[in-house]
Amino acid sequence: MLVYISMFFLSILFIYFANKQNDARRKNVLYVLSFMPFFLVSALRYGVGTDYLRRYALDFLKMYQGYSVDNLEIGFILLNKLTMLITNEPFLMFFITSFLINGFIFWTVCKESKDKILSICIFFLLGFFFNSLNIMRQYLALSFVFIGFYYLLKNKKIFFILSVIIASLFHSSAIIMLALVICDYKVIANYKWFIPFVIVVLCLNSNLMDILEFVLKNTRFNVYFSGKL
């Protein structure tokens, strides 16, 4: 735990000093340095996260030996294949995915967030960083959507669409985010529909998972309910 706490405070410290800078170059250097602790801890981990050894390292070795692996999108398979041109060990794949996940999230936060320290606190303290060490493919897709959302806020919808399409190549569930293209981001945050939506979710409570399991039982996402990889 000391490693994670040190990583977090070191990153926050770099962002704090970056916010005090007037020189754009120094500010950007400090923002890059704020990203490094999260990236290095994620990239250099071994066996951390349920999916590390049980799924992704095992899948990499299977593919290297010529076996096919089910329930993997073409983008993630291609990423594995490319790393195999350099090494027969999965560490490089984890290195690249850690760079993309944390890099895209930090880049978007540093570009768009009005309170960068608060954004990183949310990322760390609410467990999103730790989730990224486990459900890695989902967070790889999420990071592409995250950077795409930056362009959506700038009304550059074509870049958002491209980001979502790339995200879906790593986890197909990301394609649902294309629905945001037809929505104004101000409408998304409007309490007139958001509050009723929250009330419905709270009313459904545990029944929501039963509904989702019924809807997804004949799809590849049923694995999340059965627990079988």
Side-chain angles (χ1 to χ4, degrees):
M1 184 56 69
L2 181 61
V3 172
Y4 298 119
I5 294 173
S6 301
M7 170 199 77
F8 172 65
F9 282 108
L10 187 59
S11 181
I12 293 298
L13 190 63
F14 281 127
I15 293 176
Y16 173 80
F17 285 118
N19 291 340
K20 298 293 184 180
Q21 289 291 328
N22 293 320
D23 182 78
R25 183 179 178 183
R26 292 179 180 178
K27 184 187 290 286
N28 290 333
V29 168
L30 287 167
Y31 282 147
V32 171
L33 290 175
S34 72
F35 143 80
M36 292 302 292
F38 278 79
F39 162 57
L40 291 175
V41 169
S42 178
L44 300 178
R45 75 191 190 275
Y46 177 78
V48 177
T50 306
D51 286 351
Y52 189 104
L53 293 175
R54 289 183 57 194
R55 182 72 202 270
Y56 295 121
L58 185 61
D59 286 348
F60 180 94
L61 295 175
K62 284 182 177 179
M63 281 187 277
Y64 184 79
Q65 295 168 0
Y67 295 101
S68 61
V69 178
D70 296 329
N71 295 330
L72 286 182
E73 287 79 1
I74 186 63
F76 194 72
I77 292 175
L78 180 60
L79 175 61
N80 279 266
K81 295 290 187 180
L82 290 174
T83 58
M84 289 174 194
L85 299 176
I86 301 172
T87 177
N88 61 353
E89 295 293 335
F91 75 88
L92 181 59
M93 182 267 294
F94 288 103
F95 189 91
I96 294 172
T97 53
S98 297
F99 180 84
L100 293 175
I101 292 169
N102 292 284
F104 286 165
I105 289 174
F106 268 79
W107 185 87
T108 307
V109 164
C110 291
K111 290 286 288 185
E112 192 62 27
S113 177
K114 294 181 180 179
D115 192 330
K116 298 170 181 58
I117 290 178
L118 177 61
S119 296
I120 298 306
C121 286
I122 291 173
F123 181 50
F124 178 77
L125 296 176
L126 295 188
F128 297 113
F129 170 75
F130 297 105
N131 284 337
S132 74
L133 305 180
N134 186 33
I135 49 176
M136 190 176 68
R137 225 168 72 253
Q138 290 90 328
Y139 266 80
L140 188 57
L142 182 148
S143 67
F144 277 99
V145 173
F146 200 64
I147 200 172
F149 194 68
Y150 165 79
Y151 292 106
L152 186 62
L153 294 177
K154 304 297 182 184
N155 205 31
K156 297 179 179 179
K157 293 185 177 181
I158 186 63
F159 291 104
F160 175 75
I161 292 171
L162 289 173
S163 297
V164 172
I165 291 174
I166 294 173
S168 67
L169 296 178
F170 293 96
H171 202 279
S172 56
S173 62
I175 202 70
I176 196 174
M177 298 305 294
L178 286 178
L180 293 179
V181 174
I182 62 175
C183 300
D184 187 288
Y185 77 92
K186 293 180 181 179
V187 174
I188 297 172
N190 194 315
Y191 70 92
K192 292 181 180 179
W193 78 268
F194 182 74
I195 291 178
F197 175 77
V198 172
I199 292 174
V200 170
V201 171
L202 291 176
C203 289
L204 288 173
N205 199 5
S206 60
N207 294 326
L208 181 61
M209 295 305 294
D210 294 331
I211 294 171
L212 287 174
E213 185 174 4
F214 175 77
V215 171
L216 300 174
K217 65 180 180 179
N218 293 321
T219 72
R220 60 187 292 269
F221 298 109
N222 185 52
V223 66
Y224 298 113
F225 299 98
S226 67
K228 299 177 181 179
L229 296 177

